[in-house]
Amino acid sequence: MDERLKKPYQPSEHEEHIYRLWEESGFFQPENLTGKREKAYTILMPPPNANGHLHVGHALATTLQDIMIRYRRMAGDKTLFLPGADHAGFETQVVYEKKIEKDGRSRFSMEREELYQEILAFTNENKRFMETEVRALGASCDWSREKFTLDPDIVEVVYGTFRKLFDDGLVYRGKRMVNWCTRHQTSLSDLETAAKTQTDTLYYISYGPLTVATVRPETMFGDVAVAVHPEDTRYTEFIDTSIAVTTPIGSMYLKVITDEAVDPDFGTGALKITPAHDPNDFEMGLKYSLPAVEVIDQYGKLNERCGKYAGMKILEAREVVAKDLTEMGLLIKTESYEHSISTCYKCGKTLEPRVLPQWFVRMEPLAAQALEAVRTKKVTILPEYSEKVFNNWLYGIRDWNISRQIAWGIPIPARVCGACDYGTADITQTKCPICGATLTPDPDTFDTWFSSGQWPFATLGYPDGEDFKTFYPTAVLETAYDILFFWVARMIMLGLYRTGKVPFRHVYLHGLVRDVSRQKMSKSKGNVVNPIELLTRYGTDALRMGLIIGNTPGADSALSETKIKGYKHFANKIWNVARFVLERADEIEFTERPVLTEGDAARLKEFSTLAEDVTVDLNEFRFHLAGEKLYHYFWHTFADTIIEESKARLKEDSDTRQSTLFALLSILTKSLILLHPFMPFITETLWQMMPGKLRASVGYREALLMITPWPNTSQSPLS
RNA sequence: GCGCCUUUAGCUCAGUGGUAGAGCGUUCGCUUCACACGCGAAAGGCCGUAGGUUCAAUCCCUACAAGGCGCACCA
């Protein structure tokens, strides 16, 4: 018996060596797998953002993905687990900006190319950490196929999709209202906003003969009309007339228009229209051909149109304007008003609606296909209720702004006209067909989700790559529920659009791992737990078990170190059971199955039932149950009952002894097999410590547990 | 405003149409020849509230309550 078995299991003494053994075996690569392997089974690792270290959520995700892959590899599929890393555009740029701010630097004083190169170096460094950490988690992924979202072949596919969308009329350049972050100096998609409820002052201001109510008096210099409800009899006499409005910087004439959208019961029923700085007003501006007069600049300051207020920040200007209006006797009254505003999801600053020429994806036709795919079960989503959430979001979705004014990202392959807002994806065009001006390259970059939304087919070498033909569509997309819209929905839409097929058949959404007190982990709270510390302390297998047992799809979990510790004890239990059996190995006389006692036959049968059960659970994504059943069986049936009872039988006659030993060895061996997807390190370590002859005597000749066949059950894996 | 989820042992969470489980914790006893990262035993739950369906509900249905989340361009 291996001397190392005599002391408690020390994960750190084995894990690195075992991972190297797997990696060097070449079996992470599907083409090296032995046997027929007709069915491809692919999981793409959601590429971690290469802007920091892995967090516990990655550990949970990687574990779930690796369990599926290891199970399918053992069950005979041609498995590909493809790793990657994400440049994570805006996210990474924000992280990097914060980092250099600490050194007293700012990205706004840097050349764009300089910034790009610095972030690239930063990202490459983080990517290396991340790769080491993914290995430490035991992920059996094919590193030879690793992809980075900025790899030239990925970018080429993304460009192709953009061009196709443009040619199909599904991408258009529009001068429309977008969410602008005055801090980050870029527009954001609707998803990248966070609604915040706050209480502001509602100002009632004299507008000539009328009174309007607004929370933004500082935008009055951009007003182009006043709108009332068409049936509001209070204002009949003013409809379609011009009214003279006095402002602190002079008079202006505004047309009084009517629109059904005006609520007569809100405020005074008269609404000032500022198309350049309010989404509703912008729509109305389009409807009635009103000009959009910009009075606030990209930094959130009032511009030269605002006379003495020019240069003031919005909030400052609001106060001063209100004060001046009061002095002029134009401020009728104020009210306290609770409403919801859009803020930047990263910095929390109030977003300024701005009218900018940007690229938009026309969502409706894409969404319709995605909805259909889910409705017809071409894609299933777990937890089931998230299909409702998915449908809810896609139904009535608005067009997607994919232009970002940041350096760190994939440049948009388009040429744009500075004079008239024309733009084209035909980069050979040099002259604006509208106004004749010279076209210039679009300085913007893509929303990072536009490119990662193409990850499944881009990584596999669409359209002609062998991998694309073999491994697409992928089997399961496993990720956190909080990126269902950002990523999953976009992948389904763009996958269907570009390839005509769904990118994956099943979506498994795990919940967020929160800290012990159920708080969301975040760097600012300082409660982020490093999974590497945990696996160093308890072993990777214990961490994996601690994360997945009791963890159901979609449900958040509180990180429990005591639970992980419990599974470290379990690992030691496995270790000692193996020791018990292997200590008795020299008493073994059989080289194949001896005649079994009735009891031992029953014990093996009981094990088969467990194997069936666990297989069904794995097929149906019930990893939390499969793991718990294995734990329970191994400890409370195998160790507590079978081994305890075997002690007496091992003192009986030779036939009984051989039968008992066979049952023990057989159950141990098969348990290692079933446990392997969950606890790959200790099971493979023991497999390697077990003499090959012993394994062979219970029917297993494979040198590596990783590719040992899964026990035959009546349950065949779902496709 | 619309929608979704959760409510089970002290804590964190599983689970099933026939009156419940795990990890940790608690109590008692054990250095028993695989394991003290252990063994044996025990305490602890009207399975959120009120109705309904059913022979039978913690599990299905309907309200309600509490907590959480997502979506939402009414100034």
Side-chain angles (χ1 to χ4, degrees), chain A residues 195-244:
Chain A
K196 197 165 96 185
T197 302
Q198 69 180 34
T199 304
D200 282 318
T201 305
L202 183 64
Y203 301 87
Y204 285 74
I205 304 169
S206 255
Y207 262 40
L210 307 179
T211 301
V212 299
T214 180
V215 289
R216 300 198 63 183
E218 77 281 5
T219 62
M220 69 189 304
F221 315 114
D223 287 357
V224 296
V226 172
V228 298
H229 191 92
E231 281 149 34
D232 195 332
T233 51
R234 290 172 294 180
Y235 302 118
T236 316
E237 60 175 304
F238 300 109
I239 292 169
D240 290 336
T241 67
S242 268
I243 55 170

Side-chain angles (χ1 to χ4, degrees), chain A residues 198-322:
Chain A
Q198 69 180 34
T199 304
D200 282 318
T201 305
L202 183 64
Y203 301 87
Y204 285 74
I205 304 169
S206 255
Y207 262 40
L210 307 179
T211 301
V212 299
T214 180
V215 289
R216 300 198 63 183
E218 77 281 5
T219 62
M220 69 189 304
F221 315 114
D223 287 357
V224 296
V226 172
V228 298
H229 191 92
E231 281 149 34
D232 195 332
T233 51
R234 290 172 294 180
Y235 302 118
T236 316
E237 60 175 304
F238 300 109
I239 292 169
D240 290 336
T241 67
S242 268
I243 55 170
V245 174
T246 310
T247 81
I249 58 166
S251 294
M252 58 185 180
Y253 289 89
L254 299 179
K255 200 177 170 195
V256 179
I257 62 170
T258 59
D259 195 277
E260 302 279 345
V262 180
D263 178 358
D265 297 326
F266 186 92
T268 61
L271 171 62
K272 74 185 202 64
I273 302 298
T274 325
H277 298 289
D278 181 275
N280 285 316
D281 296 3
F282 179 72
E283 292 303 321
M284 224 177 274
L286 288 183
K287 202 164 158 189
Y288 302 109
S289 304
L290 303 168
V293 179
E294 196 177 54
V295 291
I296 292 167
D297 70 10
Q298 60 176 311
Y299 304 105
K301 290 178 178 170
L302 274 65
N303 69 13
E304 70 288 347
R305 285 205 179 86
C306 306
K308 62 178 178 173
Y309 305 106
M312 283 187 193
K313 286 189 177 171
I314 293 168
L315 290 181
E316 185 192 356
R318 186 172 302 169
E319 275 183 35
V320 180
V321 169

